[in-house]
Amino acid sequence: MAERMLQFTKVSRAMPQKRSAKERAADFREIYGEFSPDAAQAQASRCSQCGVPFCQQGCPLQNNIPDWLKLAAEGRLEEAWRVSSATNNMPEICGRICPQDRLCEGICTIEQSGHGTVTIGSVEKYITDTAWAEGWIQPIKPPRERSQSAGIIGAGPGGLAAAEQLRRKGYQVTVYDAYDRGGGLLIYGIPGFKLEKDVVERRIRHLEASGVAFRFNTRVGSDVSLGDLRSAHDTVLIATGVYAAKDLKCPGSGSEGVLPALDYLTASNKVSLGDKVEAYESGALNAEGKRVVVIGGGDTAMDCVRTAIRQGAKSVTCLYRRDRANMPGSQREVQNAEEEGVVFEWLANPEAIIDTKGGKVKAVRASRMKLGEPDASGRQSPVKTGETFDVKADMVIKALGFDPEDLPALFNEPSLTVNRWGAVRVDYATMETSLPGVYAAGDIVRGASLVVWAIKDGRDAAEAMHKAMRAAEQAAKVAAE
Ligand code: FAD
Ligand code: SF4
Ligand code: SF4
């Protein structure tokens, strides 16, 4: 091992090749290429095979990172893929879009010792992209078919992970989704330059080929009720994500040209998928030739600014009320955005949208902020300095975060318990909600979070759903004897 691994003093950290800012700003393709086989082996060999692997602690899925890095360094990619896919239903997606700097890579021992982290995410992506290319990923054939069934509401990463885990055990699984495609925010939220759409569609096709049934264009709460699903299935999972956009509370926020981020991103993603989107064609959801201001500092804001660049905006400015160090989005994405030409106005809080006589947005007035005392969470609150400034704008995108929808009302189930922010309450040991046999996973439980956490919840919920269905099956057998 010693020869093959621990190469971090000899081999420098390297990411797969990143396309130039000019080239990537002209399309919606991913910005990073793939490692060559030699580069993947070399990068994996930098791992020091820590006795206590902090990287694994930093990964919500507790991925067995040192083992698959060692196998990858030895060129044993099929084994590496088997180890990697044992704990993760979509490693190639996590490898692309996890904020690794805040998870596995941020606490890698060799990063802490100043040598630059092992590029865990890129190796993970390489291993599973290779598995797809080599045909190692085949439709699931459960050891036995079971008659019991699960209904899953939501085809985002939480619902998809649960669907796969249950199907592997032989259950009949139906996934219901309000959208016309599977993937949730993987397909309609996150843009192609972070995650190409065929990577997501390939996962959906894989599940379909494995026997998972999808009912698209089916909104639970209007097209079908939660009660219907509880009657039709032995168990139900709620994995509906969070979609109530936080609004901009300032004068003029209803002006023409002020848009919710997800409307904007969904339209752009649909266009990338080849759909005809009228609001894009009319220009309402197209930034081409416009001065765009995006308000917010999270992942959604970063995706909006970079989408606007690719649509050919005249200028793109991001306003965020705290500073760069205190923004919630990934630093890597800010750097990518800056390279692509986005201007960041840190410590800037919108005070008013200024519009024309016809009610069209023409500028955003912002207060210059400074960081004050830490709040209860320890984060420094921004306070006004008294200075204001205007940024000219033809389009303003509100990317201020999302809250859960009112699910008890939507599902007409007042006994579905939610917390004070509207997130569904679960028993974290089982992910079961206050409704017996109904489980929940992903953003609808945690509030807006990450793909990798949704996958973790989906897997945990599936395990508990399996245990409950197996217990019911055994109880039925005993009763019949
Ligand atoms: P979702 O992905 O939201 O899926 C929920 C699904 O449920 C949707 O398909 C929806 O149509 C369906 N649904 C909702 N209500 C109903 C209903 N009543 N009936 C039927 N179906 C319903 N995370 C990262 O880790 N990395 C990133 O880079 C990243 N970037 C992001 C960028 C954007 C723009 C956004 C908005 C989020 C980003 N996230 C990122 C967060 C991540 O996408 C979410 O945490 C994750 O998708 C949550 O998964 P989920 O399965 O809980 O919900
Ligand atoms: Fe890192 Fe995410 Fe992969 Fe875990 S799933 S190893 S956090 S990239
Ligand atoms: Fe390897 Fe870093 Fe994990 Fe240690 S913390 S096992 S060096 S990837």
Side-chain angles (χ1 to χ4, degrees), residues 5 8 44 46-56 65-67 69 104-105 107-111 117-120:
M5 304 306 288
F8 61 91
R46 297 181 68 245
C47 168
S48 68
Q49 298 285 285
C50 306
V52 179
F54 286 113
C55 53
Q56 190 171 13
I65 299 165
D67 280 12
L69 285 174
C104 54
E105 295 182 8
I107 54 169
C108 165
T109 311
I110 65 170
E111 166 77 4
T117 178
V118 177
T119 47
I120 300 169

Side-chain angles (χ1 to χ4, degrees), residues 141 205 211 239-240 290 326 333 394:
K141 292 204 173 63
R205 284 196 302 274
T240 49
K290 294 181 181 163
N326 286 288
E333 299 306 312
D394 310 302

